[in-house]
Amino acid sequence: MEYRLLGRSGCAVSAHCLGTMTFGNESDEKVSHAQLDLFVEQGGTFVDTADVYSAGESERIIGHWFASRPAEVTERIVLATKGRFKMAGDPNGLGLSARHLTRALDASLTRLGVDAIDLYQAHAWDPLTPIDETLRTLDGFVRSGKIRYYGFSNFTGWQLTKAVARARELGLVAPVSLQPQYSLLVREVEWEIVPAAQDAGLGLLPWSPLGGGYLTGKYTRDQRPAGDTRLGDNPSRGMEAYERRGTARTWDVVDAVQRVAEGRGVSMAEVALAWVTDRPGVTSTILGARTVDQLATNLSAAGLHLTDAETAVLDEASDLHAPDYPYGELGLDQRDRAV
């Protein structure tokens, strides 16, 4: 396992992060604990969850694991969680207000059974709460010792830039990370979000690096998802819906990943994970797995680096072919300058 600094902080984390959205939902406590054990055995140190995952059950399962394992194991873990989404039925039961975030953090600390969170993340932008209020609240959490660092998730480029600028203007503790959806199938973040994060010195923590399972080869262009897969019960599920994501470009990318995987003698998942983990600005790629075997396969990507030729094949297949303005050739030309 490789290790990298979390943004401009001095905190080192494993280049792969164990995502726990399945804990308490698709993975029961026994399987979840087995995943945590395997992850640590393989050198993993970074674990990510959120209060909204399985309505708090993911955090409780992680808390039980912390309580049942020796300190020499648990002290290696850099623990991240998130707050923002609905955890109560009242109007203040969600958002990035001081009131909600304070209650959300306290509840997360209780479920996790820890005194402090290493990385606390605003799970998404809140259009109603002034960003100054959110930033002052997060700054207060750091200064009080409840969290050690903070970051954002699912922010757009302008939202991220505004938040970073305001933190500097107000003299507050700066954020260290951004958690966006990023994969060979979702490269739109490279137009504005990745450059904004790099400019601010934030480490990227890509989620859904396997494109909801498409990049593992489990779905095909000729057959709707069925059986024991994430989309098997409901092919119209969310962002990964077969009708939404099953485009010609998707299958072109899947074919390219398969070619590279066969040439390397590794799984398609390993290739897709290696590609995103080595993208500019990436600190740690979040692995999500329903089973221990799936996690073991994903962890095989640790230390795998693609050649320039292999990367070029994947880049070409996944190219979004941006329109000329502002992200295409003419737009880029307007921003170019040579001496």
Side-chain angles (χ1 to χ4, degrees):
M1 184 70 72
E2 298 175 1
Y3 302 92
R4 302 172 180 178
L5 291 179
L6 184 58
R8 287 181 180 162
S9 79
C11 180
V13 297
S14 52
H16 287 113
C17 173
L18 180 60
T20 63
M21 189 171 67
T22 62
F23 285 17
N25 179 14
E26 298 174 73
S27 304
D28 62 22
E29 183 160 321
K30 181 178 179 180
V31 172
S32 300
H33 283 189
Q35 288 190 35
L36 284 161
D37 289 337
L38 175 63
F39 183 66
V40 173
E41 289 169 6
Q42 295 296 314
T45 63
F46 195 18
V47 175
D48 177 76
T49 187
D51 59 0
V52 76
Y53 292 169
S54 303
E57 189 61 21
S58 176
E59 290 183 327
R60 277 188 285 269
I61 288 173
I62 294 170
H64 295 163
W65 182 82
F66 266 85
S68 62
R69 300 307 189 263
E72 64 185 36
V73 172
T74 60
E75 286 180 356
R76 306 176 198 168
I77 299 300
V78 177
L79 183 59
T81 192
K82 300 180 282 292
R84 189 278 191 199
F85 289 119
K86 190 172 185 178
M87 292 296 289
D90 64 278
N92 289 311
L94 75 166
L96 298 182
S97 68
R99 187 180 192 277
H100 176 67
L101 283 183
T102 299
R103 293 190 171 197
L105 175 58
D106 287 344
S108 289
L109 289 168
T110 297
R111 286 189 290 265
L112 290 163
V114 296
D115 296 326
I117 302 294
D118 293 307
L119 176 65
Y120 193 63
Q121 301 156 100
H123 208 156
W125 181 261
D126 179 356
L128 301 182
T129 302
I131 191 61
D132 289 13
E133 177 180 342
T134 299
L135 293 171
R136 286 193 172 101
T137 301
L138 294 168
D139 176 85
F141 291 163
V142 174
R143 296 181 189 281
S144 68
K146 287 186 173 183
I147 67 174
R148 297 183 175 95
Y149 306 99
Y150 76 90
F152 307 120
S153 179
N154 302 313
F155 275 35
T156 64
W158 75 264
Q159 293 164 355
L160 174 63
T161 299
K162 179 174 182 177
V164 170
R166 286 303 293 160
R168 290 172 178 167
E169 291 165 358
L170 296 170
L172 304 176
V173 173
V176 300
S177 64
L178 175 70
Q179 189 176 136
Q181 183 177 188
Y182 193 10
S183 72
L184 278 161
L185 297 181
V186 182
R187 295 184 60 186
E188 290 87 349
V189 294
E190 294 176 354
W191 292 343
E192 290 282 354
I193 297 173
V194 171
Q198 289 182 286
D199 179 67
L202 305 190
L204 294 169
L205 311 175
W207 62 267
S208 196
L210 298 178
Y214 282 86
L215 297 173
T216 67
K218 69 170 64 175
Y219 306 128
T220 66
R221 71 180 77 214
D222 301 321
Q223 183 177 356
R224 285 170 60 81
D228 187 23
T229 62
R230 186 162 291 180
L231 289 182
D233 294 333
N234 180 14
S236 300
R237 176 183 181 270
M239 297 180 188
E240 301 149 9
Y242 190 74
E243 290 77 10
R244 180 195 302 271
R245 184 155 284 180
T247 64
R249 173 179 174 271
T250 289
W251 303 124
D252 287 343
V253 173
V254 170
D255 289 344
V257 173
Q258 184 175 17
R259 290 197 303 274
V260 172
E262 290 174 350
R264 263 299 180 102
V266 298
S267 69
M268 292 175 62
E270 290 172 74
V271 169
L273 290 170
W275 180 87
V276 75
T277 302
D278 279 346
R279 300 305 286 178
V282 170
T283 288
S284 184
T285 299
I286 299 174
L287 309 178
R290 294 184 298 117
T291 68
V292 176
D293 287 343
Q294 286 179 349
L295 178 61
T297 297
N298 293 346
L299 286 172
S300 298
L304 175 64
H305 300 283
L306 304 178
T307 66
D308 290 344
E310 290 167 336
T311 299
V313 168
L314 299 174
D315 287 351
E316 182 178 357
S318 61
D319 193 325
L320 291 164
H321 299 291
D324 281 336
Y325 185 86
Y327 304 118
E329 183 178 353
L330 296 181
L332 293 175
D333 184 63
Q334 287 185 333
R335 296 190 292 277
D336 191 26
R337 180 173 182 246
V339 177

